[in-house]
Amino acid sequence: MGIYDLTIEELSEYFLQNNDKKFYATELFSWLYNKKITSFDEASNIKKEVRDRLKKDFIISNIDIITVEEGRDVKKYLFKLSDFEHIEAVLMNHDYGNSLCISSQVGCNMGCKFCESGRRKKVRNLTTGEMVEQILKVENESGLRISHVVIMGIGEPFDNYDNICKLIKIINHSKGLNIGARHITVSTCGIVPKILEFSDFPYQVNLAISLHAPNDYIRNKIMPISKAYPLDELISSIKIYLGKTNRRVTFEYIMLDDVNDSVDNAIELVRLLRGINCYVNLIPYNETDALQYRRSKPLTIAKFYDILKENNVTVTIRREFGGTISAACGQLRSKREEI
Ligand code: SAH
């Protein structure tokens, strides 16, 4: 088992079961996440025999950076996992801090038609530790502190629900990476039962929904998940989530040329979101060679934006980071595997 798979409570339990002092958990957390040790022997205030047992029971590192591509204010990392699978993470430097977009699975089963990641079926879930380590390895390589984490890389986080919840507990913990819950965002394509379950998760993290269409007709064409959970069910679950958490949700909306970007689509979207505490993030599509979709024209995006704004929907157009370095979801991994 990987040491980064454990919450501080689980680690306390481990030490108790071995008749060690429970507070070793706090100490070890601070060695791992604050001093960022790479071998248990560096944890000098923990007894040698305990360190030896830790070495026997846990692996420290399970993932390695194999390439880094750099663009303006952005770096994209390709990692190799211990079973030789590949995943990616993207670091973005904002004026408010450094945000890391991490992967949650190897491959993805959601099959969104415009998405590069979905071209490869899910191979497996990432462990909690493999997700934590993406952050640690990037902090180490870049020399920067990651202040924001978005779970928007390869994979569907709500198809790896338990590990995502553990990840949040570990990185949010004051002795862990101490990343504020409000600085953590989980993005889902809309798995309704998990949205409902997440509404009881007691951390004030952000929820983003990949909406991408204002009606089921368009959504069914581009997002197969919509057949399992149609828009009315999705919107009802979001209302329940809002009722319980009182936390504004984000709707992501990729602008796809001639697919979902007409004036009528904008008006329909306004109607769909009426009365929901949300904001809409319009995303210029990042084109990828293997797929036929094209990004909407700048004027079309501007018009769509204006219609939402005029109708009092809070809306932003996503700042672009990774265009030149294949930073769209799954692109770097595909490039590598095609080579
Ligand atoms: N499965 C989750 C999280 C991973 S995808 C989800 O669906 O939300 C993260 C976001 O990137 C989603 O909104 C997805 O629709 C979007 N995306 C995928 N490919 C893209 C591309 N080529 N250009 C822009 N956004 C893309």
Side-chain angles (χ1 to χ4, degrees):
M1 177 167 228
I3 193 71
Y4 301 115
D5 284 320
L6 269 58
T7 61
I8 201 159
E9 291 78 17
E10 288 169 332
L11 206 50
S12 305
E13 190 54 35
Y14 164 83
F15 283 121
L16 278 178
Q17 273 172 8
N18 285 291
N19 296 318
D20 291 328
K21 303 186 187 89
K22 189 175 151 204
F23 73 78
Y24 274 161
T26 314
E27 285 181 359
L28 187 56
F29 243 55
S30 123
W31 283 108
L32 291 168
Y33 295 105
N34 191 342
K35 302 187 193 76
K36 304 207 163 70
I37 56 168
T38 52
S39 113
F40 290 116
D41 282 330
E42 293 172 58
S44 52
N45 62 351
I46 294 180
K47 271 199 305 207
K48 170 134 188 355
E49 56 179 276
V50 177
R51 295 200 310 255
D52 287 343
R53 179 154 15 81
L54 285 168
K55 279 192 250 176
K56 208 161 49 62
D57 292 343
F58 298 105
I59 298 167
I60 281 211
S61 177
N62 270 312
I63 80 171
D64 288 306
I65 294 176
I66 52 170
T67 61
V68 185
E69 282 190 32
E70 196 161 1
R72 196 169 146 238
D73 290 335
V74 60
K75 264 183 169 183
K76 178 138 180 169
Y77 296 85
L78 187 70
F79 297 93
K80 190 174 80 200
L81 310 179
S82 55
D83 56 0
F84 302 103
E85 293 291 351
H86 292 132
I87 51 157
E88 327 169 336
V90 181
L91 169 66
M92 289 156 285
N93 310 117
H94 295 274
D95 44 12
Y96 56 77
N98 302 306
S99 157
L100 188 69
C101 171
I102 62 169
S103 294
S104 57
Q105 297 180 317
V106 177
C108 181
N109 275 349
M110 299 302 122
C112 299
K113 297 284 188 286
F114 47 81
C115 177
E116 187 78 34
S117 303
R119 288 174 61 215
R120 183 162 185 230
K121 286 266 163 272
K122 175 170 108 176
V123 176
R124 65 176 177 87
N125 283 331
L126 293 187
T127 61
T128 301
E130 286 168 330
M131 293 187 275
V132 171
E133 257 198 87
Q134 294 173 57
I135 307 172
L136 289 170
K137 288 273 149 85
V138 168
E139 286 197 330
N140 183 44
E141 192 282 335
S142 65
L144 299 171
R145 174 174 189 267
I146 304 298
S147 56
H148 292 66
V149 170
V150 295
I151 309 171
M152 275 192 199
I154 299 171
E156 166 52 45
F158 279 176
D159 187 32
N160 186 11
Y161 187 81
D162 295 341
N163 287 345
I164 294 295
C165 292
K166 267 175 67 166
L167 167 77
I168 294 169
K169 290 178 187 167
I170 294 171
I171 65 177
N172 174 247
H173 199 281
S174 59
K175 298 282 181 215
L177 286 172
N178 199 15
I179 298 173
R182 286 157 192 265
H183 290 183
I184 301 171
T185 302
V186 182
S187 175
T188 177
C189 63
I191 301 185
V192 165
K194 293 298 171 193
I195 295 173
L196 293 172
E197 201 173 334
F198 203 56
S199 63
D200 290 320
F201 184 65
Y203 289 74
Q204 303 225 304
V205 292
N206 304 306
L207 180 63
I209 309 285
S210 296
L211 188 63
H212 306 333
N215 59 48
D216 281 323
Y217 178 71
I218 300 176
R219 206 161 187 265
N220 284 341
K221 284 206 266 190
I222 56 177
M223 299 180 74
I225 191 70
S226 178
K227 296 192 182 115
Y229 306 111
L231 275 180
D232 59 342
E233 285 182 33
L234 177 61
I235 297 294
S236 309
S237 72
I238 290 164
K239 287 186 176 155
I240 293 172
Y241 174 90
L242 283 168
K244 287 191 179 173
T245 64
N246 210 14
R247 297 207 36 80
R248 180 160 85 160
V249 296
T250 303
F251 287 105
E252 292 157 278
Y253 196 103
I254 300 183
M255 299 294 294
L256 297 164
D257 184 40
D258 246 356
V259 175
N260 62 358
D261 62 350
S262 70
V263 167
D264 283 352
N265 296 153
I267 294 168
E268 237 179 321
L269 186 60
V270 168
R271 287 208 198 100
L272 183 72
L273 301 183
R274 189 153 286 154
I276 297 179
N277 179 15
C278 67
Y279 96 90
V280 174
N281 198 359
L282 297 178
I283 306 170
Y285 180 61
N286 214 333
E287 293 178 6
T288 143
D289 293 342
L291 302 171
Q292 87 268 21
Y293 293 95
R294 292 294 154 246
R295 98 171 16 188
S296 303
K297 296 176 184 64
L299 273 177
T300 313
I301 301 180
K303 178 88 194 147
F304 202 95
Y305 172 90
D306 286 343
I307 294 172
L308 295 192
K309 194 136 195 145
E310 280 157 19
N311 286 281
N312 304 317
V313 175
T314 315
V315 55
T316 52
I317 300 177
R318 178 178 290 175
R319 181 180 155 204
E320 286 194 76
F321 276 96
T324 54
I325 60 158
S326 49
C329 197
Q331 286 181 341
L332 194 63
R333 186 201 56 76
S334 319
K335 226 163 73 181
R336 167 106 193 166
E337 272 157 35
E338 270 148 27
I339 295 165

